[in-house]
Amino acid sequence: MLRDSHNRIIRDLRISVTDRCNFRCFYCLPHGEPPLARKETILSFEEIEYAADIFVSLGIEKIRLTGGEPMLRRDLETLVAKIAKLKPQLKDLALTTNGFDIPRKAGILKYAGLDRMTISLDTLDTHRFREITGVDSLEEVFEAIEAAKEHGFEPVKINAVIVRGINDDELVDFALFARRTGVEMRFIEYMPLDSGHDWSRDKVVPGREIFEKINSVYPLELKDASRGSETAWKYRFADGEPGGIGIIAPVTEMFCGACSRIRLTADGQIRTCLFSTVEHNLRDYIRSGATRSELVEFIQHVTLKKEPAHRINEPDFVPASRTMSFIGG
Ligand code: SAM
């Protein structure tokens, strides 16, 4: 079992499979991609599979593939199939994507063993979509959501980063979208992880405000009084309509005390927190020919260094050593 020095059990591994992205979301990659990792530094599928196998043997139950845009990694379904072999110890294999190629690949990903899919969508308006992401792909994202539903990835989760003055006027529209399509809309507070370093506190829309705006139009009921190690408070619509709402408020309602997550970047660095300022080089250790038991010890040792909490709200906050597209959300 992986336990950190604050007695938190780590059950959730996020693996970034690439640092490349085909979107240019202003809250993530506003000025294009920073220099990408050299190809030879990126973990191969076999290395990811080996690392995942070790993590699962140490009690990891959930793996989420992310990026960059994970669907840009060629033949992702091959990696999904390799990791899916770790079930049933691995209980949940998920993907976070901007929807790229999902209409074509949803079936094959399901067949390969993917359990769940989260698709990012920050606006329902075509013009605004281009402004936020830098590309004209709103229709493709809608198609991706439909494809995910058709292939049984229910409930499809949709991530929307809510930023003051950009899309906070769409909260009720998003709730209506959830009711009409049956998806779970998850609203995320804007975090200081953008490569442009343009984040400021006044652009954060607090989770409480998000809840109140939606609740005043479509009354919400909390699904579960405890959220365990989940990031989101989850709500259903009180009138029984389909769909749901999730609110993720890492800035205004920090939930680090219950964190169960650890991350592996595309270039093989372990990160114990989204906001870590140091990383731990698993890749070089694997490539140096370390034995499996040495790698186990390394991972256990690194886990002990997991930070007690992020320091976004502290005066001495130091930004993470890498930005979101490298870390993997
Ligand atoms: N490309 C994929 C996608 O768009 O979902 C996966 C990677 S993306 C980094 C993962 C999630 O992080 C997305 O839902 C995205 O909206 C979120 N994200 C990126 N930058 C963020 C920020 N500065 N604050 C909060 N969430 C952010």
Side-chain angles (χ1 to χ4, degrees), residues 7-210:
N7 226 9
R8 293 171 297 191
I9 295 172
I10 309 304
R11 296 201 189 280
D12 185 344
L13 172 66
R14 304 213 170 170
I15 304 178
S16 172
V17 296
T18 179
D19 51 0
R20 292 170 54 221
C21 194
N22 49 350
F23 280 23
R24 292 290 174 263
C25 302
F26 76 91
Y27 54 75
C28 188
L29 282 173
H31 311 304
E33 281 158 330
L36 295 171
R38 290 191 322 280
K39 201 165 173 237
E40 65 273 18
T41 67
I42 300 290
L43 294 185
S44 66
F45 283 178
E46 289 67 30
E47 287 169 329
I48 297 175
E49 179 189 14
Y50 183 39
D53 185 14
I54 296 176
F55 272 105
V56 169
S57 74
L58 288 169
I60 290 291
E61 294 178 346
K62 289 184 182 179
I63 292 183
R64 175 172 293 278
L65 302 178
T66 179
E69 173 45 47
M71 294 299 293
L72 288 179
R73 183 89 188 238
R74 195 178 306 149
D75 301 329
L76 188 73
E77 60 277 13
T78 305
L79 178 65
V80 168
K82 285 177 186 291
I83 298 179
K85 281 197 251 153
L86 302 174
K87 296 179 190 177
Q89 287 94 327
L90 177 67
K91 297 201 168 80
D92 187 38
L93 179 53
L95 172 75
T96 304
T97 172
N98 60 28
F100 173 70
D101 227 13
I102 291 300
R104 204 167 64 86
K105 289 281 184 83
I108 195 160
L109 288 167
K110 186 77 192 174
Y111 181 73
L114 189 71
D115 297 310
R116 294 188 301 118
M117 204 182 281
T118 300
I119 298 176
S120 298
L121 173 65
D122 303 309
T123 177
L124 300 168
D125 176 82
T126 312
H127 176 70
R128 195 178 271 184
F129 188 92
R130 189 183 173 81
E131 284 182 349
I132 292 178
T133 64
V135 295
D136 258 326
S137 300
L138 181 59
E139 283 311 314
E140 283 88 334
V141 180
F142 287 146
E143 281 169 32
I145 294 169
E146 280 312 307
K149 282 168 60 184
E150 272 165 31
H151 287 90
F153 288 104
E154 298 277 352
V156 176
K157 292 182 183 171
I158 308 296
N159 275 355
V161 180
I162 301 301
V163 182
R164 177 82 65 207
I166 302 288
N167 58 356
D168 50 335
D169 57 345
E170 288 192 65
L171 289 167
V172 172
D173 296 340
F174 272 130
L176 183 57
F177 179 72
R179 291 161 66 86
R180 285 199 176 137
T181 59
V183 299
E184 183 181 311
M185 269 309 310
R186 293 153 60 95
F187 301 104
I188 309 175
E189 288 180 349
Y190 179 27
M191 291 180 278
L193 288 166
D194 53 312
S195 66
H197 302 291
D198 291 328
W199 180 89
S200 62
R201 198 163 294 277
D202 57 324
K203 293 181 192 155
V204 177
V205 181
R208 189 74 221 162
E209 180 180 329
I210 294 172

